[in-house]
Amino acid sequence: MNARLYRSLYRIRRVEEEVARAYPTDAIKSPVHLSIGQEAVSVGVCEALRPTDIVFGTYRSHAMYLAKGGDLNAMVAEMYGKATGCARGKGGSMHLIDTDAGVMGTSAVVGTTIANAAGYAYALKTRRSDAVVVCFFGDGASEEGVFAETLNFASLKSLPVLFVCENNGYAIHTSQAKRQGRPDIAARAEAYGIPADRLDGSDVTGLLERTRTVLSGMRTLGGPHFFEVKTYRWREHVGPGRDFALGFRAESEAEPWVKNDPIPRLAALLPAAERAAIVQEVEAEVAAAFAFAEASPFPDPAELMIDIYQEAGNALACR
């Protein structure tokens, strides 16, 4: 299991490091919100899921998409705005989807997929499915009205949805302490009658084990559960760089998280030959994905009016 977790964590880290490398060349055509430092949350939770389980995410969901099995080539091509992208080059980094892998969508609008996840869970319950839905979101989303409304609905209907709040302590440049009168987000879930855990986002094996236990209960007894996972974003809110020079947070705040990075800790547990083989395999896969994106065509101009919403009577020639 250590090798499997290491491979997933290392793969996500290397993909995002390559995104950061390529971004200044203007080859990537959309804003990027990197998960570097937060990978263990997605990996620990998604490793416990079945292929039939469903995930919803946010604009910072490269890690979730890959951890759940989303197509890497399609993700990178999407960021390049290419026709081979998972949204045919029209969604960008913030709108990733791979329905075959159970990745039902990510959104640029804070909090919107929380309600989407509950709706999907309601459908699963109606169909008497034993699949579950996992909804990833940040601490900033817990300040949106849809958060309170959805938790109430999920509790009322006993929906099979696991809410995962990736609490990195910041909404763009504003710390949680300056935004929330009660920073204990898990306690707010408990107030709706939803069992909640406070977990360490650097402990990937602990996250995996707790998720397995919780999902086992959800599949047999139903009902929602809530994880508040403390984690830390190493890069700036949006973009490939670092933002400590802006003054809203100190680099010393990041140091404990960097020292506790689960990737080198897991690497140290593996035989050298096995670790080297994983690294070689991942490096080749990542290089191939970026080559695929670069070689792919841009969408035909006719794509501009396809897959868009049209009200009756609108003269736009859409399909």
Side-chain angles (χ1 to χ4, degrees):
M1 179 53 70
N2 284 341
R4 185 178 173 88
L5 292 174
Y6 173 71
R7 183 187 184 282
S8 186
L9 288 169
Y10 181 76
R11 180 172 180 255
I12 294 168
R13 176 71 58 85
R14 287 294 299 122
V15 169
E16 292 212 303
E17 287 176 342
E18 283 301 293
V19 170
R21 178 196 61 77
Y23 195 80
T25 69
D26 201 34
I28 292 177
K29 302 300 182 184
S30 74
V32 294
H33 301 73
L34 301 181
S35 305
I36 293 175
Q38 299 187 200
E39 302 95 334
V41 184
S42 291
V43 172
V45 171
C46 288
E47 189 62 32
L49 300 180
R50 298 174 179 172
T52 51
D53 293 332
I54 300 298
V55 296
F56 286 83
T58 72
Y59 50 76
R60 195 183 311 282
S61 285
H62 299 166
M64 181 205 76
Y65 174 96
L66 293 173
K68 185 57 173 66
D71 187 285
L72 173 59
N73 284 358
M75 185 185 102
V76 179
E78 185 60 38
M79 286 189 276
Y80 274 65
K82 298 298 184 69
T84 53
C86 60
R88 296 164 67 169
K90 296 187 283 189
S93 166
M94 295 186 284
H95 302 96
L96 303 176
I97 186 167
D98 188 336
T99 56
D100 290 341
V103 181
M104 295 309 296
T106 65
S107 173
V109 183
V110 174
T112 48
T113 54
I114 299 175
N116 298 153
Y120 204 106
Y122 196 15
L124 290 177
K125 182 175 182 179
T126 301
R127 296 172 183 170
R128 301 184 185 280
S129 168
D130 68 350
V132 300
V133 177
V134 180
C135 180
F136 292 85
F137 54 91
D139 49 293
S142 71
E143 297 157 29
E144 299 291 331
V146 69
F147 173 81
E149 295 165 28
T150 303
L151 263 60
N152 176 63
F153 186 77
S155 178
L156 175 68
K157 299 295 183 181
S158 192
L159 301 181
V161 56
L162 173 61
F163 298 102
V164 178
C165 178
E166 295 183 81
N167 186 353
N168 65 23
Y170 288 90
I172 307 180
H173 296 156
T174 306
S175 72
Q176 187 185 9
K178 295 180 178 178
R179 305 184 337 259
Q180 299 182 3
R182 183 175 187 181
D184 187 345
I185 299 173
R188 279 183 256 157
E190 291 169 332
Y192 287 98
I194 299 176
D197 291 282
R198 298 160 188 82
L199 301 170
D200 177 4
S202 296
D203 181 7
V204 66
T205 54
L207 283 163
L208 170 58
E209 291 168 3
R210 185 56 187 153
T211 305
R212 281 176 170 164
T213 299
V214 166
L215 294 187
S216 177
M218 288 174 62
R219 293 187 202 281
T220 54
L221 303 174
H225 201 97
F226 192 98
F227 285 170
E228 180 185 359
V229 187
K230 294 295 182 67
T231 185
Y232 199 79
R233 164 171 55 82
W234 293 12
R235 301 293 179 101
E236 58 189 328
H237 167 69
V238 55
R242 294 152 56 90
D243 58 7
F244 298 108
L246 297 179
F248 69 91
R249 60 177 183 165
E251 190 162 4
S252 59
E253 185 180 84
E255 289 175 357
W257 294 94
V258 175
K259 288 180 179 177
N260 202 30
D261 184 0
I263 296 179
R265 287 193 287 117
L266 272 176
L269 298 176
L270 301 177
E274 185 175 19
R275 184 173 66 247
I278 292 171
V279 169
Q280 184 176 15
E281 176 198 346
V282 168
E283 294 296 337
E285 183 190 15
V286 173
F290 279 78
F292 172 80
E294 291 171 2
S296 293
F298 284 107
D300 187 275
E303 282 274 342
L304 185 62
M305 306 305 289
I306 296 175
D307 299 327
I308 63 174
Y309 176 75
Q310 179 189 26
E311 293 183 340
N314 191 312
L316 289 174
C318 60
R319 289 178 282 168

